[in-house]
Amino acid sequence: MSLRLFAAIPVPEEIGRDYLRLQKGVPGARWRPLENFHITLRFFGEMDERQAEDLDAELAHIALPAFPVELDGADWFGKADPHALWMSVKAPDTLARLNQGCERAARKAGLAPDTRKYTPHMTIAYLNKSPVEKVHRFVQRAADVKTHPWQVTHFSLFASWTHRGEANIYEALADYPLG
C-alpha cells in the first residue's frame, strides 16, 4: 500500500476559526476546512509502508524545544497565475531548524532532497483561474488579521488522501513531542 505523507504543525481549532470568516470574495478558490489547517514542515510524497516506518523512526529522533508561533497577514503563491492563498507564519529560528530536521529525516529514510526554499505558511485556499486583482484584494483585506502566539509542543506525520472536487482528508499517523 502506498501512502502520501507530510510533516506539519497542526493549527489549534481556536486559532483556525478566525480564518474561516475570511473565506470569501475570491472566484475559483477552494477554501480549506478548519480541520485541514496546518503549517507544513516537509512534504514527503508517495511511499510504501516500509519507507514510511523508516521515516517515522527518523522523525522521532528530532529533539528541539517547544516554541511560540503566530499567523500574521496573507500572501499567495503563483505571482501572475495565483495557485494558493496562505497566511504567513512568525516564529523563532526553531521553526527553520524543525524544517531542517524533517529534511534530514527524509534523506536518511532514502527520500530525494526537497529543492524548494522553505516558506512557513498555512494554506487557506487553493486557486483555479482566480483573477489576480481579487487575490490581491483578499491579501489586503487579510493583512491585519493576526493571531496571538501559541506554543508548539509537537509536530505530526500526516497521511493525505485526495478527493476530486473536495478537500483532502488528512490523518495524523504519529505525533512527535517538542520540549
Side-chain angles (χ1 to χ4, degrees):
M1 180 177 163
S2 178
L3 296 167
R4 186 173 189 243
L5 303 177
F6 65 93
I9 298 166
V11 172
E13 193 173 303
E14 63 273 12
I15 299 290
R17 263 192 229 109
D18 289 343
Y19 292 92
L20 294 177
R21 66 181 171 76
L22 293 175
Q23 295 183 330
K24 60 187 174 197
V26 182
R30 288 179 292 131
W31 301 105
R32 304 294 81 202
L34 179 62
E35 63 270 15
N36 284 14
F37 288 168
H38 64 271
I39 300 167
T40 303
L41 295 165
R42 170 63 152 87
F43 179 74
F44 302 114
E46 299 278 338
M47 67 186 70
D48 63 32
E49 288 183 36
R50 184 168 164 256
Q51 194 168 32
E53 289 172 4
D54 292 345
L55 177 61
D56 173 52
E58 293 299 335
L59 290 171
H61 290 299
I62 295 174
L64 289 169
F67 59 93
V69 67
E70 61 188 284
L71 301 175
D72 181 19
D75 207 339
W76 76 87
F77 290 126
K79 306 256 188 220
D81 184 21
H83 59 82
L85 279 170
W86 51 273
M87 305 309 295
S88 64
V89 174
K90 286 175 66 174
D93 73 334
T94 310
L95 177 60
R97 292 181 13 231
L98 184 53
N99 162 258
Q100 293 161 359
C102 290
E103 180 62 31
R104 279 190 303 278
R107 290 181 187 195
K108 287 181 179 179
L111 299 175
D114 188 353
T115 57
R116 295 170 294 180
K117 178 184 178 284
Y118 181 60
T119 303
H121 67 281
M122 179 187 82
T123 300
I124 192 166
Y126 291 109
L127 305 174
N128 183 18
K129 298 183 172 125
S130 298
V132 173
E133 59 277 358
K134 295 285 188 176
V135 172
H136 182 68
R137 220 174 281 142
F138 173 88
V139 169
Q140 287 178 319
R141 183 166 45 94
D144 294 329
V145 178
K146 300 173 185 187
T147 63
H148 62 279
W150 77 91
Q151 195 72 358
V152 175
T153 59
H154 74 283
F155 70 101
S156 302
L157 178 64
F158 286 91
S160 172
W161 291 275
T162 57
H163 293 278
R164 290 189 187 262
E166 296 181 33
N168 292 355
I169 296 171
Y170 300 147
E171 178 186 1
L173 302 178
D175 293 329
Y176 310 97
L178 299 172

